[in-house]
Amino acid sequence: MQEGTFSLERIDYAIIVVYFIGVIAHGLYVSRGHESADDYFLAGRNLPWYLIGFSLFASNMSGSSFVGLMGASYSNGVVVFNYEWTAAIVLIFFALFMLPAFLRAGIYTIPQFLTSRYDKRSRVAYSLFTVLAIMFIDTAGALYAGGLVIANVIPGFTLWTAVAVLAVVAGVYTILGGLEAVVVTDTVQAILLVIGASAIFFFGLEKVGGWDEMMSRLSADNTSLIMPTGDDFLPWPGIFGVVLLGFYYWTLNQFVVQRTLGARDLDQGRKGALFAGLLKIPNLFIMILPGVFAIILFPGLDNPDMAFPTLAAELLPVGFRGLILTALIAAIMSSLDSALNAAATLVSIDFVKEARPSIGDDSLVRVGRAFTAFAMVVGAIYAPSIASFENLFEYFQSVLAYVTPPIVAVYIIGLFWKRANGTGSFAAIVLGLVVGVSAFLTKEVMGLWGTWGFPEPHYTYMAIAMFVFGGVVLAIGSLMTPAPDPEAIADYTFTQEVFKKDLLRLDRPWYEDIRYQSCALTGVMLMTILYFW
């Protein structure tokens, strides 16, 4: 057997077929109950915490994450875990401070909040950026990753045919069922993902001779979370840049945050966010350490991203191979369905509803379904062309570091600083995109900074610099123009009175208190970090 080559038996194929039939059937079933825009785009605003948490986790664990985390840990060791535990910090902050403001605004989309807090200009600018990013990065990237895997492990599939199958399946149940179909399917996919990855962990741990044997055979660099300031992968000061990227992904990215907007109430949304943060901690064991096992078991792989398929092909017995392939496809489709539904929601609410306020719910849902189909087709056509790019995932992470931190500054500073206004917000978003894209192209793509004699900082340092830039532009633009109406923004900014009202609930037991739950999650996170410090 060649490295990374699956040998599938009939039972493996049966598992994959049953999964595909199941998700389409569920989309057909859910589609019968949709009567309003709330039902379609936000699952009737009735989602419980456990579905929210599993769906957040599944949407995050895309195919590139599933394969990429193991590949990155094969190359760099457990330092990759810094990208996982920082998500818990961000989600705690989101649950305590940001989600209450979002739910008070009654929004369908994250850009929609900018109208409530600032003005329509900021909303349109951010919404347009988000729609394009979802279509050409998230949707096309998920289709390409899934198509690549299927084309390489299932005989008879080319990249084009595999992309087409994924697009049709994910598109059908997302078009029919909306967010409810996405969230419930994501929950099943998250469970499959954890089972499949856990199987690799336990089989791999046994193969290397146990935990102590593994630790004794690895270098200190492979088992350390903290790297020097000059490290190419993640210098320790850059962890703050990772946190800023996490704020964009977990609190401002429509394709992830949408399920929290559909929460039954604030408590359910908060619990769901914290549950997703808790689910990120075990990724150390089921996503990252298997890549470390591969350092011992399969040294010298030409491509680090072959760590996952090599482990799965060499370690898993018949049946488990079908399960792990299904888990991988599930992870890819979780990102794909979330991206499609988010893009449909943004276009329907931020553009169509704004242009035609009188449009009925039935028409709005039809628009959403039509755009889901459009985005699916565009993504499927564009996806195979991604093969012509090199290091796409790394470039994707880099471009986010350049363009999203000013947007993070607009949301977070605006939440705590009442003087921030629409002019400052619009200027920060637009100038942030102009400066960020220009810096990204000249430094990361063309490599001109070194030619010009400029220092070439790590992209996580650039994330910090762009956050500061966005904050400064927001402050200057706001202070040079009239202050916003305090009453108009009262519900969308932080006050001690609102904070106490959201937190101090004496009608529930202590274990349901968000403060104790946040402390418990922080404790689990710290214990895990300290072990590898």
Side-chain angles (χ1 to χ4, degrees):
M1 182 185 297
Q2 295 179 343
E3 289 178 350
T5 302
F6 282 71
S7 178
L8 300 178
E9 304 295 336
R10 289 183 179 178
I11 187 172
D12 298 309
Y13 287 113
I15 292 171
I16 298 169
V17 171
V18 168
Y19 167 75
F20 274 88
I21 292 174
V23 294
I24 293 177
H26 180 260
L28 290 169
Y29 174 77
V30 171
S31 68
R32 300 180 306 167
H34 287 136
E35 299 178 355
S36 69
D38 265 6
D39 288 336
Y40 187 76
F41 295 115
L42 293 180
R45 297 187 190 268
N46 196 40
L47 294 176
W49 65 269
Y50 51 89
L51 288 184
I52 293 171
F54 274 126
S55 185
L56 285 170
F57 174 77
S59 295
N60 170 243
M61 296 321 312
S62 64
S64 58
S65 295
F66 199 88
V67 175
L69 278 176
M70 291 191 194
S73 60
Y74 181 86
S75 298
N76 303 282
V78 299
V79 66
V80 184
F81 185 54
N82 288 307
Y83 284 88
E84 301 299 294
W85 68 261
T86 50
I89 293 178
V90 171
L91 286 166
I92 289 171
F93 184 93
F94 173 70
L96 291 175
F97 299 104
M98 300 179 74
L99 183 59
F102 287 172
L103 294 185
R104 279 196 298 272
I107 57 178
Y108 285 86
T109 72
I110 298 302
Q112 197 176 7
F113 180 78
L114 292 175
T115 299
S116 302
R117 176 58 185 86
Y118 294 111
D119 58 24
K120 288 185 179 180
R121 295 174 301 170
S122 301
R123 171 186 179 179
V124 170
Y126 182 42
S127 188
L128 183 60
F129 162 77
T130 306
V131 169
L132 294 174
I134 286 174
M135 288 176 60
F136 289 99
I137 297 177
D138 297 311
T139 300
L143 285 170
Y144 174 73
L148 194 63
V149 171
I150 292 175
N152 279 281
V153 301
I154 300 181
F157 275 89
T158 65
L159 179 60
W160 274 101
T161 55
V163 165
V165 169
L166 282 175
V168 169
V169 174
V172 165
Y173 75 75
T174 306
I175 290 170
L176 294 175
L179 184 62
E180 183 178 351
V182 169
V183 169
V184 175
T185 306
D186 279 357
T187 299
V188 175
Q189 291 168 170
I191 294 171
L192 282 175
L193 182 65
V194 171
I195 292 173
S198 297
I200 288 184
F201 171 77
F202 287 112
F203 281 112
L205 186 63
E206 180 182 9
K207 189 73 172 179
V208 298
W211 184 270
D212 292 337
E213 178 66 17
M214 176 195 72
M215 296 298 288
S216 67
R217 295 173 65 180
L218 294 171
S219 68
D221 287 344
N222 291 142
T223 58
S224 176
L225 283 175
I226 304 301
M227 293 287 112
T229 55
D231 186 70
D232 290 337
F233 181 73
L234 181 59
W236 72 263
I239 292 175
F240 182 66
V242 173
V243 172
L244 291 175
L245 293 177
F247 266 106
Y248 165 74
Y249 188 86
W250 289 103
T251 73
L252 303 179
N253 187 343
Q254 179 72 21
F255 119 52
V256 173
V257 186
Q258 185 164 336
R259 54 266 304 123
T260 63
L261 303 181
R264 186 174 298 163
D265 53 41
L266 176 59
D267 282 347
Q268 294 294 307
R270 281 174 154 169
K271 289 177 183 177
L274 295 185
F275 183 44
L278 180 63
L279 290 173
K280 291 289 285 180
I281 304 301
N283 277 357
L284 171 64
F285 301 97
I286 65 175
M287 300 285 183
I288 294 171
L289 284 178
V292 177
F293 297 160
I295 297 174
I296 300 170
L297 298 175
F298 309 108
L301 291 179
D302 293 334
N303 182 356
D305 286 337
M306 289 302 294
F308 160 71
T310 302
L311 284 164
E314 297 291 344
L315 299 181
L316 298 182
V318 172
F320 269 104
R321 293 173 191 164
L323 181 65
I324 197 67
L325 183 57
T326 303
L328 179 60
I329 295 171
I332 293 163
M333 292 183 65
S334 290
S335 295
L336 182 58
D337 60 28
S338 299
L340 290 171
N341 187 252
T345 305
L346 287 164
V347 169
S348 301
I349 302 301
D350 285 351
F351 295 101
V352 176
K353 183 70 172 177
E354 281 294 302
R356 297 180 57 192
S358 61
I359 189 172
D361 279 3
D362 289 344
S363 298
L364 203 60
V365 169
R366 283 197 294 271
V367 169
R369 285 175 168 158
F371 191 80
T372 298
F374 172 75
M376 175 191 69
V377 172
V378 170
I381 293 173
Y382 179 74
S385 66
I386 294 176
S388 63
F389 292 87
E390 294 181 3
N391 302 317
L392 178 65
F393 181 74
E394 182 178 348
Y395 276 125
F396 174 58
Q397 295 292 346
S398 298
V399 75
L400 289 182
Y402 284 82
V403 300
T404 61
I407 298 170
V408 173
V410 165
Y411 275 88
I412 294 180
I413 295 174
L415 189 65
F416 293 96
W417 187 41
K418 298 179 178 61
R419 185 61 179 80
N421 66 15
T423 299
S425 167
F426 183 67
I429 292 174
V430 173
L431 288 178
L433 289 174
V434 170
V435 173
V437 170
S438 300
F440 171 75
L441 291 175
T442 55
K443 177 182 178 292
E444 302 290 345
V445 178
M446 302 180 202
L448 296 178
W449 281 29
T451 304
W452 294 339
F454 294 152
E456 298 188 56
H458 194 269
Y459 70 82
T460 54
Y461 292 165
M462 290 301 302
I464 299 170
M466 290 303 299
F467 178 81
V468 173
F469 174 79
V472 170
V473 173
L474 174 64
I476 293 174
S478 297
L479 293 174
M480 292 179 63
T481 51
D485 180 2
E487 293 185 5
I489 63 171
D491 287 339
Y492 316 119
T493 52
F494 174 84
T495 64
Q496 289 186 348
E497 292 75 18
V498 170
F499 186 61
K500 289 178 180 178
K501 181 180 177 181
D502 288 338
L503 285 183
L504 298 180
R505 292 272 304 277
L506 302 178
D507 58 340
R508 57 189 172 186
W510 66 269
Y511 53 82
E512 293 186 3
D513 192 312
I514 186 69
R515 294 170 298 177
Y516 292 107
Q517 293 170 349
S518 298
C519 289
L521 176 56
T522 302
V524 172
M525 177 187 69
L526 289 176
M527 286 189 293
T528 308
I529 293 170
L530 290 174
Y531 184 86
F532 288 96
W533 193 269

